Amino acid sequence: MSKLALACAMFRLDPKTVYRTAITPMPGSIRRYAEQIVEPKQCYDNCRRLMEQLVHKNMKYVVGVGFHHIPFEHAILQLEDGTFVDPTLEIINPSAATDFVVGYSLDFGQLVDVMIKLGRAPSLVDMVNLKNDVILPDVVFD
């Protein structure tokens, strides 16, 4: 079974909308902020905090499935140029390079809307439930 198929099966993702992507190193300007705020095992909050600090950078909050020995829910950022960066693993465990399957991405306004209703930065399971009208039937996704 491919990693993409495994991610879809494990996390109820739509195989028509998910895709694999490469993770690239963070540019120095973003890395400097990340080094100050990133905490272990806090990928959702790490990405949220970076977006709040660097809102002018036009990033997207991305949740999906990382693969490092086993699949795991994870949050990364998509930069304005379309590249993907992983602030948490790059700062905390740089040797843990991962493959990543993109599940959902939110711009800053969408992230704020979801956070207001959930009370926290959303996980992949939150986004699946949102998409399936389990939690927030009124949120519109791209």
Side-chain angles (χ1 to χ4, degrees), residues 75-101:
I76 61 173
L77 295 172
Q78 183 178 17
L79 304 182
E80 189 171 20
D81 66 3
T83 59
F84 293 85
V85 297
D86 186 340
T88 305
L89 287 181
E90 185 172 332
I91 300 298
I92 302 301
N93 190 0
S95 65
T98 60
D99 288 329
F100 194 81
V101 173

PDB file of all heavy atoms in Angstrom, residues 75-101:
ATOM      1  N   ALA A  75       1.308  19.091  11.599  1.00  0.00           N
ATOM      2  CA  ALA A  75       1.055  20.395  10.989  1.00  0.00           C
ATOM      3  C   ALA A  75       2.363  20.980  10.481  1.00  0.00           C
ATOM      4  O   ALA A  75       3.405  20.858  11.138  1.00  0.00           O
ATOM      5  CB  ALA A  75       0.420  21.355  11.994  1.00  0.00           C
ATOM      6  N   ILE A  76       2.303  21.583   9.302  1.00  0.00           N
ATOM      7  CA  ILE A  76       3.441  22.257   8.693  1.00  0.00           C
ATOM      8  C   ILE A  76       2.932  23.577   8.123  1.00  0.00           C
ATOM      9  O   ILE A  76       1.747  23.899   8.248  1.00  0.00           O
ATOM     10  CB  ILE A  76       4.116  21.399   7.596  1.00  0.00           C
ATOM     11  CG1 ILE A  76       3.135  21.100   6.452  1.00  0.00           C
ATOM     12  CG2 ILE A  76       4.669  20.096   8.197  1.00  0.00           C
ATOM     13  CD1 ILE A  76       3.761  20.409   5.255  1.00  0.00           C
ATOM     14  N   LEU A  77       3.792  24.322   7.466  1.00  0.00           N
ATOM     15  CA  LEU A  77       3.395  25.570   6.826  1.00  0.00           C
ATOM     16  C   LEU A  77       3.727  25.537   5.343  1.00  0.00           C
ATOM     17  O   LEU A  77       4.738  24.966   4.941  1.00  0.00           O
ATOM     18  CB  LEU A  77       4.134  26.756   7.458  1.00  0.00           C
ATOM     19  CG  LEU A  77       3.824  27.050   8.908  1.00  0.00           C
ATOM     20  CD1 LEU A  77       4.765  28.116   9.447  1.00  0.00           C
ATOM     21  CD2 LEU A  77       2.377  27.485   9.078  1.00  0.00           C
ATOM     22  N   GLN A  78       2.847  26.148   4.558  1.00  0.00           N
ATOM     23  CA  GLN A  78       3.138  26.366   3.151  1.00  0.00           C
ATOM     24  C   GLN A  78       3.473  27.846   2.993  1.00  0.00           C
ATOM     25  O   GLN A  78       2.696  28.718   3.398  1.00  0.00           O
ATOM     26  CB  GLN A  78       1.956  26.007   2.260  1.00  0.00           C
ATOM     27  CG  GLN A  78       2.269  26.160   0.791  1.00  0.00           C
ATOM     28  CD  GLN A  78       1.103  25.760  -0.104  1.00  0.00           C
ATOM     29  OE1 GLN A  78      -0.037  25.664   0.339  1.00  0.00           O
ATOM     30  NE2 GLN A  78       1.398  25.530  -1.362  1.00  0.00           N
ATOM     31  N   LEU A  79       4.628  28.125   2.433  1.00  0.00           N
ATOM     32  CA  LEU A  79       5.065  29.500   2.261  1.00  0.00           C
ATOM     33  C   LEU A  79       4.444  30.104   1.014  1.00  0.00           C
ATOM     34  O   LEU A  79       3.895  29.399   0.161  1.00  0.00           O
ATOM     35  CB  LEU A  79       6.590  29.563   2.177  1.00  0.00           C
ATOM     36  CG  LEU A  79       7.332  28.939   3.366  1.00  0.00           C
ATOM     37  CD1 LEU A  79       8.832  29.108   3.202  1.00  0.00           C
ATOM     38  CD2 LEU A  79       6.853  29.510   4.684  1.00  0.00           C
ATOM     39  N   GLU A  80       4.563  31.411   0.895  1.00  0.00           N
ATOM     40  CA  GLU A  80       3.953  32.140  -0.222  1.00  0.00           C
ATOM     41  C   GLU A  80       4.436  31.628  -1.578  1.00  0.00           C
ATOM     42  O   GLU A  80       3.684  31.608  -2.545  1.00  0.00           O
ATOM     43  CB  GLU A  80       4.273  33.628  -0.075  1.00  0.00           C
ATOM     44  CG  GLU A  80       3.526  34.505  -1.038  1.00  0.00           C
ATOM     45  CD  GLU A  80       3.696  35.975  -0.708  1.00  0.00           C
ATOM     46  OE1 GLU A  80       4.648  36.360  -0.011  1.00  0.00           O
ATOM     47  OE2 GLU A  80       2.833  36.754  -1.156  1.00  0.00           O
ATOM     48  N   ASP A  81       5.678  31.143  -1.650  1.00  0.00           N
ATOM     49  CA  ASP A  81       6.216  30.644  -2.921  1.00  0.00           C
ATOM     50  C   ASP A  81       5.779  29.213  -3.241  1.00  0.00           C
ATOM     51  O   ASP A  81       6.182  28.629  -4.238  1.00  0.00           O
ATOM     52  CB  ASP A  81       7.737  30.760  -2.959  1.00  0.00           C
ATOM     53  CG  ASP A  81       8.432  29.844  -1.949  1.00  0.00           C
ATOM     54  OD1 ASP A  81       7.750  29.062  -1.239  1.00  0.00           O
ATOM     55  OD2 ASP A  81       9.674  29.902  -1.869  1.00  0.00           O
ATOM     56  N   GLY A  82       4.948  28.615  -2.344  1.00  0.00           N
ATOM     57  CA  GLY A  82       4.428  27.266  -2.589  1.00  0.00           C
ATOM     58  C   GLY A  82       5.225  26.155  -1.940  1.00  0.00           C
ATOM     59  O   GLY A  82       4.801  25.005  -1.945  1.00  0.00           O
ATOM     60  N   THR A  83       6.390  26.458  -1.370  1.00  0.00           N
ATOM     61  CA  THR A  83       7.177  25.426  -0.705  1.00  0.00           C
ATOM     62  C   THR A  83       6.600  25.135   0.673  1.00  0.00           C
ATOM     63  O   THR A  83       5.896  25.952   1.260  1.00  0.00           O
ATOM     64  CB  THR A  83       8.658  25.842  -0.564  1.00  0.00           C
ATOM     65  OG1 THR A  83       8.725  27.046   0.194  1.00  0.00           O
ATOM     66  CG2 THR A  83       9.314  26.023  -1.918  1.00  0.00           C
ATOM     67  N   PHE A  84       6.898  23.955   1.172  1.00  0.00           N
ATOM     68  CA  PHE A  84       6.413  23.506   2.474  1.00  0.00           C
ATOM     69  C   PHE A  84       7.586  23.394   3.445  1.00  0.00           C
ATOM     70  O   PHE A  84       8.647  22.872   3.081  1.00  0.00           O
ATOM     71  CB  PHE A  84       5.725  22.140   2.349  1.00  0.00           C
ATOM     72  CG  PHE A  84       4.448  22.193   1.566  1.00  0.00           C
ATOM     73  CD1 PHE A  84       4.460  22.110   0.182  1.00  0.00           C
ATOM     74  CD2 PHE A  84       3.227  22.341   2.206  1.00  0.00           C
ATOM     75  CE1 PHE A  84       3.285  22.164  -0.555  1.00  0.00           C
ATOM     76  CE2 PHE A  84       2.036  22.396   1.482  1.00  0.00           C
ATOM     77  CZ  PHE A  84       2.073  22.306   0.098  1.00  0.00           C
ATOM     78  N   VAL A  85       7.381  23.881   4.677  1.00  0.00           N
ATOM     79  CA  VAL A  85       8.398  23.800   5.721  1.00  0.00           C
ATOM     80  C   VAL A  85       7.797  23.178   6.969  1.00  0.00           C
ATOM     81  O   VAL A  85       6.598  23.282   7.212  1.00  0.00           O
ATOM     82  CB  VAL A  85       9.003  25.189   6.046  1.00  0.00           C
ATOM     83  CG1 VAL A  85       9.722  25.767   4.837  1.00  0.00           C
ATOM     84  CG2 VAL A  85       7.955  26.162   6.558  1.00  0.00           C
ATOM     85  N   ASP A  86       8.643  22.527   7.748  1.00  0.00           N
ATOM     86  CA  ASP A  86       8.210  21.865   8.982  1.00  0.00           C
ATOM     87  C   ASP A  86       8.962  22.472  10.160  1.00  0.00           C
ATOM     88  O   ASP A  86      10.035  22.001  10.541  1.00  0.00           O
ATOM     89  CB  ASP A  86       8.494  20.369   8.885  1.00  0.00           C
ATOM     90  CG  ASP A  86       7.936  19.590  10.056  1.00  0.00           C
ATOM     91  OD1 ASP A  86       7.671  20.201  11.117  1.00  0.00           O
ATOM     92  OD2 ASP A  86       7.788  18.368   9.927  1.00  0.00           O
ATOM     93  N   PRO A  87       8.416  23.551  10.732  1.00  0.00           N
ATOM     94  CA  PRO A  87       9.122  24.225  11.825  1.00  0.00           C
ATOM     95  C   PRO A  87       9.421  23.319  13.018  1.00  0.00           C
ATOM     96  O   PRO A  87      10.508  23.386  13.588  1.00  0.00           O
ATOM     97  CB  PRO A  87       8.170  25.346  12.239  1.00  0.00           C
ATOM     98  CG  PRO A  87       7.245  25.524  11.102  1.00  0.00           C
ATOM     99  CD  PRO A  87       7.146  24.210  10.414  1.00  0.00           C
ATOM    100  N   THR A  88       8.496  22.470  13.378  1.00  0.00           N
ATOM    101  CA  THR A  88       8.676  21.646  14.575  1.00  0.00           C
ATOM    102  C   THR A  88       9.819  20.663  14.415  1.00  0.00           C
ATOM    103  O   THR A  88      10.748  20.644  15.222  1.00  0.00           O
ATOM    104  CB  THR A  88       7.365  20.911  14.926  1.00  0.00           C
ATOM    105  OG1 THR A  88       6.319  21.879  15.057  1.00  0.00           O
ATOM    106  CG2 THR A  88       7.511  20.121  16.219  1.00  0.00           C
ATOM    107  N   LEU A  89       9.769  19.852  13.383  1.00  0.00           N
ATOM    108  CA  LEU A  89      10.825  18.858  13.236  1.00  0.00           C
ATOM    109  C   LEU A  89      12.155  19.487  12.854  1.00  0.00           C
ATOM    110  O   LEU A  89      13.208  19.010  13.278  1.00  0.00           O
ATOM    111  CB  LEU A  89      10.422  17.783  12.224  1.00  0.00           C
ATOM    112  CG  LEU A  89       9.359  16.806  12.716  1.00  0.00           C
ATOM    113  CD1 LEU A  89       9.051  15.762  11.659  1.00  0.00           C
ATOM    114  CD2 LEU A  89       9.765  16.139  14.015  1.00  0.00           C
ATOM    115  N   GLU A  90      12.133  20.549  12.077  1.00  0.00           N
ATOM    116  CA  GLU A  90      13.406  21.178  11.696  1.00  0.00           C
ATOM    117  C   GLU A  90      14.146  21.718  12.914  1.00  0.00           C
ATOM    118  O   GLU A  90      15.372  21.641  12.988  1.00  0.00           O
ATOM    119  CB  GLU A  90      13.182  22.302  10.683  1.00  0.00           C
ATOM    120  CG  GLU A  90      14.481  22.900  10.186  1.00  0.00           C
ATOM    121  CD  GLU A  90      14.323  23.870   9.042  1.00  0.00           C
ATOM    122  OE1 GLU A  90      13.363  23.745   8.254  1.00  0.00           O
ATOM    123  OE2 GLU A  90      15.175  24.764   8.927  1.00  0.00           O
ATOM    124  N   ILE A  91      13.424  22.256  13.886  1.00  0.00           N
ATOM    125  CA  ILE A  91      14.061  22.808  15.078  1.00  0.00           C
ATOM    126  C   ILE A  91      14.324  21.716  16.124  1.00  0.00           C
ATOM    127  O   ILE A  91      15.407  21.640  16.696  1.00  0.00           O
ATOM    128  CB  ILE A  91      13.197  23.926  15.709  1.00  0.00           C
ATOM    129  CG1 ILE A  91      12.984  25.074  14.715  1.00  0.00           C
ATOM    130  CG2 ILE A  91      13.788  24.419  17.019  1.00  0.00           C
ATOM    131  CD1 ILE A  91      14.236  25.785  14.259  1.00  0.00           C
ATOM    132  N   ILE A  92      13.356  20.872  16.382  1.00  0.00           N
ATOM    133  CA  ILE A  92      13.457  19.896  17.471  1.00  0.00           C
ATOM    134  C   ILE A  92      14.246  18.650  17.085  1.00  0.00           C
ATOM    135  O   ILE A  92      15.033  18.132  17.865  1.00  0.00           O
ATOM    136  CB  ILE A  92      12.041  19.479  17.961  1.00  0.00           C
ATOM    137  CG1 ILE A  92      11.256  20.701  18.438  1.00  0.00           C
ATOM    138  CG2 ILE A  92      12.119  18.411  19.042  1.00  0.00           C
ATOM    139  CD1 ILE A  92      11.895  21.477  19.572  1.00  0.00           C
ATOM    140  N   ASN A  93      14.011  18.135  15.888  1.00  0.00           N
ATOM    141  CA  ASN A  93      14.657  16.883  15.473  1.00  0.00           C
ATOM    142  C   ASN A  93      14.986  16.936  13.983  1.00  0.00           C
ATOM    143  O   ASN A  93      14.318  16.286  13.172  1.00  0.00           O
ATOM    144  CB  ASN A  93      13.723  15.710  15.791  1.00  0.00           C
ATOM    145  CG  ASN A  93      14.401  14.374  15.618  1.00  0.00           C
ATOM    146  OD1 ASN A  93      15.576  14.292  15.264  1.00  0.00           O
ATOM    147  ND2 ASN A  93      13.661  13.310  15.847  1.00  0.00           N
ATOM    148  N   PRO A  94      16.011  17.700  13.609  1.00  0.00           N
ATOM    149  CA  PRO A  94      16.302  17.902  12.189  1.00  0.00           C
ATOM    150  C   PRO A  94      16.642  16.618  11.428  1.00  0.00           C
ATOM    151  O   PRO A  94      16.483  16.570  10.209  1.00  0.00           O
ATOM    152  CB  PRO A  94      17.487  18.864  12.181  1.00  0.00           C
ATOM    153  CG  PRO A  94      17.842  19.130  13.576  1.00  0.00           C
ATOM    154  CD  PRO A  94      16.882  18.435  14.476  1.00  0.00           C
ATOM    155  N   SER A  95      17.061  15.581  12.105  1.00  0.00           N
ATOM    156  CA  SER A  95      17.399  14.336  11.403  1.00  0.00           C
ATOM    157  C   SER A  95      16.155  13.515  11.067  1.00  0.00           C
ATOM    158  O   SER A  95      16.240  12.524  10.359  1.00  0.00           O
ATOM    159  CB  SER A  95      18.352  13.493  12.247  1.00  0.00           C
ATOM    160  OG  SER A  95      17.707  13.083  13.430  1.00  0.00           O
ATOM    161  N   ALA A  96      14.996  13.925  11.556  1.00  0.00           N
ATOM    162  CA  ALA A  96      13.755  13.182  11.327  1.00  0.00           C
ATOM    163  C   ALA A  96      13.048  13.692  10.073  1.00  0.00           C
ATOM    164  O   ALA A  96      11.909  14.122  10.120  1.00  0.00           O
ATOM    165  CB  ALA A  96      12.835  13.295  12.529  1.00  0.00           C
ATOM    166  N   ALA A  97      13.733  13.644   8.961  1.00  0.00           N
ATOM    167  CA  ALA A  97      13.111  14.067   7.701  1.00  0.00           C
ATOM    168  C   ALA A  97      11.891  13.194   7.436  1.00  0.00           C
ATOM    169  O   ALA A  97      11.917  11.993   7.667  1.00  0.00           O
ATOM    170  CB  ALA A  97      14.104  13.938   6.560  1.00  0.00           C
ATOM    171  N   THR A  98      10.825  13.823   6.989  1.00  0.00           N
ATOM    172  CA  THR A  98       9.581  13.085   6.783  1.00  0.00           C
ATOM    173  C   THR A  98       9.069  13.255   5.369  1.00  0.00           C
ATOM    174  O   THR A  98       9.346  14.243   4.702  1.00  0.00           O
ATOM    175  CB  THR A  98       8.470  13.581   7.722  1.00  0.00           C
ATOM    176  OG1 THR A  98       8.226  14.953   7.457  1.00  0.00           O
ATOM    177  CG2 THR A  98       8.825  13.386   9.174  1.00  0.00           C
ATOM    178  N   ASP A  99       8.323  12.276   4.933  1.00  0.00           N
ATOM    179  CA  ASP A  99       7.455  12.444   3.776  1.00  0.00           C
ATOM    180  C   ASP A  99       6.185  13.047   4.341  1.00  0.00           C
ATOM    181  O   ASP A  99       5.835  12.808   5.503  1.00  0.00           O
ATOM    182  CB  ASP A  99       7.109  11.096   3.140  1.00  0.00           C
ATOM    183  CG  ASP A  99       8.286  10.481   2.407  1.00  0.00           C
ATOM    184  OD1 ASP A  99       9.115  11.235   1.877  1.00  0.00           O
ATOM    185  OD2 ASP A  99       8.359   9.249   2.372  1.00  0.00           O
ATOM    186  N   PHE A 100       5.470  13.802   3.526  1.00  0.00           N
ATOM    187  CA  PHE A 100       4.261  14.436   4.042  1.00  0.00           C
ATOM    188  C   PHE A 100       3.140  14.346   3.023  1.00  0.00           C
ATOM    189  O   PHE A 100       3.347  14.578   1.840  1.00  0.00           O
ATOM    190  CB  PHE A 100       4.530  15.919   4.377  1.00  0.00           C
ATOM    191  CG  PHE A 100       3.454  16.538   5.211  1.00  0.00           C
ATOM    192  CD1 PHE A 100       3.420  16.343   6.579  1.00  0.00           C
ATOM    193  CD2 PHE A 100       2.460  17.297   4.631  1.00  0.00           C
ATOM    194  CE1 PHE A 100       2.413  16.899   7.358  1.00  0.00           C
ATOM    195  CE2 PHE A 100       1.449  17.862   5.399  1.00  0.00           C
ATOM    196  CZ  PHE A 100       1.436  17.658   6.769  1.00  0.00           C
ATOM    197  N   VAL A 101       1.949  14.001   3.521  1.00  0.00           N
ATOM    198  CA  VAL A 101       0.732  13.992   2.716  1.00  0.00           C
ATOM    199  C   VAL A 101      -0.129  15.153   3.186  1.00  0.00           C
ATOM    200  O   VAL A 101      -0.495  15.221   4.362  1.00  0.00           O
ATOM    201  CB  VAL A 101      -0.028  12.656   2.849  1.00  0.00           C
ATOM    202  CG1 VAL A 101      -1.375  12.728   2.147  1.00  0.00           C
ATOM    203  CG2 VAL A 101       0.807  11.509   2.287  1.00  0.00           C
TER     204      VAL A 101
END
